[in-house]
Amino acid sequence: MAKVVLIDDELTMVQMVGDLLRKEGHEVIPFSNLDSALDGIVENSPDLVITDLYLDKSGAKGLDVVKKARSLSPPPVVIVVTGFGTLDTAIDAMRAGAFDYLEKPFKVEDFRFTIRRALSFGEAVSETTFLRRQLKKKYQFTKIIGNAEKIQAVFKMLERVADTDTTILILGESGTGKELVAKALHQNSRRQHAPFIPINCSALPENLLESELFGHCRGAFTGAIADKKGLFQEADGGTIFLDEVGSMPPLLQSRLLRVLQEREIRRVGENTPIHVNVRVVAATNEPLENSIKDGGFREDLYYRLNVISIQLPSLKERKDDIPLLVSHFLRSRPSGRTGKARRVSSRVMEILNTHEWPGNVRELENAIERAATLCEGDVIRVKDLPPAILKAVGENGAALDDSGEAELPKVADTPQSLASPAGEPIRGNSGLPENVDAVKPLRIFARETESAYMNRVIDLVGGDKEQAAILLGVSLATLYRKLTEDEKLQ
Ligand SMILES: Nc1ncnc2c1ncn2[C@@H]1O[C@H](COP(=O)(O)OP(=O)(O)OP(=O)(O)O)[C@@H](O)[C@H]1O
Ligand SMILES: [Mg+2]
């Protein structure tokens, strides 16, 4: 059904054409005068405008309608109706953007044919506009932090599948960000304004999970005192996130399979199918293949869920992202939390890089949160780290005192510790003087050492100056100022 604005000052025409259109199932909004018609087009955003070219005896005012319609976004398709012998004006109208013209008197069949062609053209155009908009759309995965190749590959995949209705299976160890990714899929889809509903399939016994997912009707079982909507219905138009799907009991697996195949649910105690429009995203931290082999998970369901799978890397596989994640967690702490930690000491960073992170990003996030709360100044020290992590890396937090640790590298080890990954000395770092002639004013030496250090940190965080400023404990403006001064020095 299309919305059609019909403009003609001849009442019989409006009636006749209007009836024809209504018979085809379209909604008709008629106008008989130019000014109200021009406003009407803007207000109603129709799919199609049919206008007489000669709206008053003075001239081709229908052209104004064509121009107005074409200026809208998205523009409706326009058909002009001309009187006999006014082909030139019809051609002008086509030049102004009309799709086609009909010459009065026209045959009903021709009219129907032209309308159908115009409407399917309109649909095709809006499809192209949509696809074009899709291409331009900037995907937002800002909450998922990571520069490592493996996580970048995840971003690429997310961009491709986010705004589709495909079922997705997210795989990854505990704490790798599966729920974060499921939310990002939802937020970057057309479903973003409808609910995102997560449910952990391992958290409830079979009968409760069934009624949670599919709902029940009153009296379905003891205690079912009222009708209850299931989460599939609550999530209508949106996304349901089935976490730990591998733990779903067998009976529910076959029910879920039916939902995926038929897009219908049945409430417990009722046989009437209810149509649902829900995208399913599932996650598991245990490979499902093993449970398929021992009969715990249905193979056909696995294939249905696994249309597209996204494997999240463990933190151990992307240790280069640790500094980025650390500064992200420090920066995104809610302002009410205790502790003003802004950065970590270099010894702490070493420990964080050494640890194996069996609990992945969640373990890191918790460690930083704890350390930031305990930390006395604005730098997180070894003693602030969780004992379990210190134990795992063979460090004794109490015995080690890194509180005097210099924020700038010690002069003696400056040349080695600041060597760039390629091994060449870093710009501006001249090391220790070899003779009296090589001695510089302390101020210049300090400036050069600082500059080398800043550049090394910027390299470490992949060129992200904002992150570097946080790690260095200076404002972004200060960092930029110092970098500009460096350039002037050279
Ligand atoms: N790439 C990332 N960037 C920023 N934060 C992340 C990232 N990955 C995970 N997190 C954070 O780590 C915590 C754990 O993430 P999430 O709950 O999504 O993990 P999960 O894979 O679902 O874990 P589980 O299997 O234990 O349920 C969350 O607080 C999340 O915000
Ligand atoms: Mg989870």
Side-chain angles (χ1 to χ4, degrees):
M1 191 188 89
K3 199 190 252 188
V4 185
V5 161
L6 179 60
I7 312 164
D8 203 316
D9 52 358
E10 249 181 83
L11 221 61
T12 46
M13 268 308 277
V14 171
Q15 262 163 8
M16 188 194 88
V17 174
D19 284 350
L20 274 174
L21 288 166
R22 281 189 208 97
K23 237 186 242 162
E24 299 262 306
H26 303 305
E27 180 190 350
V28 180
I29 306 157
F31 291 96
S32 56
N33 113 348
L34 181 70
D35 291 334
S36 52
L38 290 177
D39 292 342
I41 297 175
V42 178
E43 277 160 22
N44 291 288
S45 31
D47 306 297
L48 175 66
V49 174
I50 304 176
T51 181
D52 188 19
L53 265 186
Y54 283 84
L55 280 174
D56 57 23
K57 306 294 166 236
S58 62
K61 284 288 163 59
L63 269 185
D64 293 348
V65 176
V66 181
K67 285 178 195 149
K68 183 75 173 190
R70 297 306 299 170
S71 70
L72 300 180
S73 169
V77 186
V78 185
I79 295 175
V80 293
V81 181
T82 67
F84 177 70
T86 51
L87 200 60
D88 284 352
T89 343
I91 290 169
D92 286 345
M94 304 279 282
R95 279 206 192 102
F99 171 75
D100 206 350
Y101 68 93
L102 279 164
E103 212 174 291
K104 278 191 220 172
F106 43 79
K107 286 195 204 124
V108 172
E109 263 330 291
D110 290 347
F111 174 79
R112 284 213 182 102
F113 180 71
T114 307
I115 300 298
R116 279 190 204 139
R117 224 162 45 91
L119 287 174
S120 58
F121 170 78
E123 265 168 35
V125 169
S126 55
E127 183 72 5
T128 330
T129 321
F130 170 68
L131 291 175
R132 248 188 238 130
R133 207 178 305 140
Q134 279 297 97
L135 282 180
K136 270 199 225 142
K137 181 169 170 181
K138 178 120 178 50
Y139 285 88
Q140 294 279 332
F141 301 115
T142 45
K143 285 190 185 145
I144 313 174
I145 305 297
N147 264 340
E149 225 171 90
K150 286 196 172 169
I151 200 94
Q152 289 294 327
V154 169
F155 289 144
K156 284 219 180 78
M157 185 58 135
L158 291 180
E159 281 184 16
R160 287 178 56 192
V161 300
D163 200 11
T164 65
D165 279 341
T166 315
T167 305
I168 303 218
L169 183 62
I170 306 172
L171 309 160
E173 292 174 12
S174 176
T176 46
K178 296 184 292 297
E179 182 151 355
L180 198 62
V181 163
K183 268 190 210 144
L185 281 169
H186 174 75
Q187 277 153 5
N188 287 282
S189 78
R190 260 164 291 177
R191 298 175 173 269
Q192 59 186 263
H193 301 295
F196 169 83
I197 298 196
I199 169 117
N200 188 326
C201 300
S202 72
L204 294 172
E206 180 174 297
N207 51 353
L208 277 186
L209 182 60
E210 180 178 22
S211 110
E212 269 306 292
L213 286 174
F214 306 116
H216 61 244
C217 57
R218 190 171 160 218
F221 46 85
T222 331
I225 46 168
D227 284 359
K228 178 179 160 11
K229 255 192 187 179
L231 295 181
F232 267 100
Q233 262 182 293
E234 299 278 358
D236 204 22
T239 308
I240 197 163
F241 174 52
L242 303 173
D243 204 359
E244 302 207 26
V245 74
S247 316
M248 190 176 257
L251 171 90
L252 294 190
Q253 289 178 28
S254 39
R255 296 225 158 175
L256 176 60
L257 184 64
R258 197 168 328 134
V259 180
L260 292 176
Q261 277 165 347
E262 292 159 21
R263 305 275 148 193
E264 279 173 359
I265 54 145
R266 283 179 179 76
R267 294 195 296 178
V268 180
E270 197 177 62
N271 234 343
T272 334
I274 302 171
H275 177 79
V276 285
N277 166 17
V278 173
R279 184 202 203 162
V280 175
V281 176
T284 174
N285 46 27
E286 314 250 310
L288 292 174
E289 284 84 352
N290 296 343
S291 354
I292 294 172
K293 264 192 215 122
D294 64 25
F297 201 80
R298 290 183 68 129
E299 195 170 6
D300 44 4
L301 176 59
Y302 172 70
Y303 288 117
R304 277 272 165 187
L305 289 174
N306 195 15
V307 181
I308 302 260
S309 64
I310 297 180
Q311 173 77 54
L312 297 185
S314 64
L315 186 53
K316 196 165 67 181
E317 291 172 88
R318 55 176 189 117
K319 279 194 167 172
D320 287 353
D321 281 342
I322 290 176
L324 265 186
L325 285 161
V326 168
S327 53
H328 166 72
F329 292 135
L330 284 176
R331 191 177 39 172
S332 55
R333 293 183 80 229
S335 53
R337 299 270 172 89
T338 47
K340 293 192 290 287
R342 302 279 297 151
R343 59 208 151 106
V344 303
S345 78
S346 50
R347 180 71 195 122
V348 166
M349 192 53 90
E350 266 172 46
I351 294 174
L352 299 180
N353 281 325
T354 314
H355 188 50
E356 295 285 282
W357 301 108
N360 294 293
V361 186
R362 179 182 295 108
E363 186 186 0
L364 176 63
E365 185 178 17
N366 292 344
I368 296 299
E369 178 53 33
R370 174 190 192 274
T373 311
L374 293 179
C375 165
E376 281 151 0
D378 64 355
V379 184
I380 291 177
R381 310 262 170 217
V382 175
K383 64 179 169 33
D384 304 321
L385 289 177
I389 289 179
L390 294 178
K391 200 168 157 215
V393 299
E395 185 81 44
N396 182 344
L400 195 125
D401 177 16
D402 66 341
S403 57
E405 190 180 34
E407 291 315 316
L408 288 176
K410 290 184 215 102
V411 174
D413 64 16
T414 297
Q416 297 81 16
S417 65
L418 285 181
S420 73
E424 329 91 3
I426 283 176
R427 177 166 66 89
N429 173 29
S430 53
L432 295 177
E434 265 145 36
N435 51 49
V436 179
D437 290 340
V439 172
K440 309 171 175 185
L442 191 55
R443 185 178 49 82
I444 302 232
F445 178 74
R447 194 68 207 88
E448 286 178 354
T449 316
E450 188 186 64
S451 160
Y453 192 66
M454 278 186 321
N455 281 296
R456 175 75 181 118
V457 174
I458 293 170
D459 281 351
L460 278 178
V461 293
D464 183 340
K465 299 207 177 61
E466 206 186 337
Q467 302 280 358
I470 289 165
L471 287 174
L472 289 166
V474 294
S475 70
L476 188 59
T478 308
L479 184 69
Y480 270 109
R481 183 173 47 75
K482 284 179 183 285
L483 290 172
T484 325
E485 278 168 14
D486 283 350
E487 271 167 27
K488 281 191 204 138
L489 271 181
Q490 284 180 10

